Amino acid sequence: MFPSEMVILMAIAETGGLGKKLLTRPMDITGEYIGYLYNSLVIRGYLRGNIVRGYQLTPKGREAILEFLQVNKTRVKERIKTLQELRIGINQELDKLEKEALGVK
């Protein structure tokens, strides 16, 4: 599996699905390539859905993430950094900080 594919799987796991939009991508990756990766993951059974309905992890996709995390513990921090660079999961942290600032539990 390509590292970019694992980033996609982890991003979908983090967000619970991406709805109708593809990941925001780094400037050096074309939209066509991202679309190819999504299609490849669907064909190989890691994702289900499409750009119109959105994408969700399949049990095989969840299993791939768990295996990746177990085998590649040293690489996990790099993947998390990549997700943060793509602004995946950052909104949750901002929401938490806003609630703290307002004194809401």
Side-chain angles (χ1 to χ4, degrees):
M1 178 173 290
F2 294 116
S4 300
E5 291 176 320
M6 185 53 67
V7 169
I8 289 171
L9 292 180
M10 291 175 71
I12 290 173
E14 175 68 24
T15 62
L18 291 178
K20 296 180 181 179
K21 69 175 190 170
L22 295 174
L23 286 172
T24 304
R25 62 186 187 278
M27 296 302 288
D28 62 339
I29 298 178
T30 67
E32 288 178 20
Y33 180 64
I34 295 289
Y36 166 79
L37 292 176
Y38 275 92
N39 289 334
S40 175
L41 289 167
V42 169
I43 289 167
R44 293 175 14 231
Y46 294 99
L47 294 177
R48 67 175 163 250
N50 60 42
I51 193 157
V52 176
R53 294 181 313 198
Y55 296 93
Q56 295 179 326
L57 287 175
T58 63
K60 183 177 179 179
R62 285 186 195 89
E63 185 178 318
I65 291 172
L66 291 174
E67 182 179 318
F68 173 82
L69 294 175
Q70 291 172 351
V71 173
N72 298 294
K73 290 180 183 179
T74 58
R75 292 183 175 174
V76 170
K77 289 182 182 179
E78 294 173 18
R79 298 297 177 248
I80 291 172
K81 182 179 176 185
T82 301
L83 290 171
Q84 289 172 338
E85 289 171 359
L86 295 172
R87 303 202 188 285
I88 302 298
I90 293 192
N91 291 336
Q92 293 174 356
E93 188 63 29
L94 291 176
D95 187 45
K96 182 193 271 185
L97 292 172
E98 287 174 5
K99 286 181 180 179
E100 286 179 13
L102 296 173
V104 177
K105 292 184 180 182

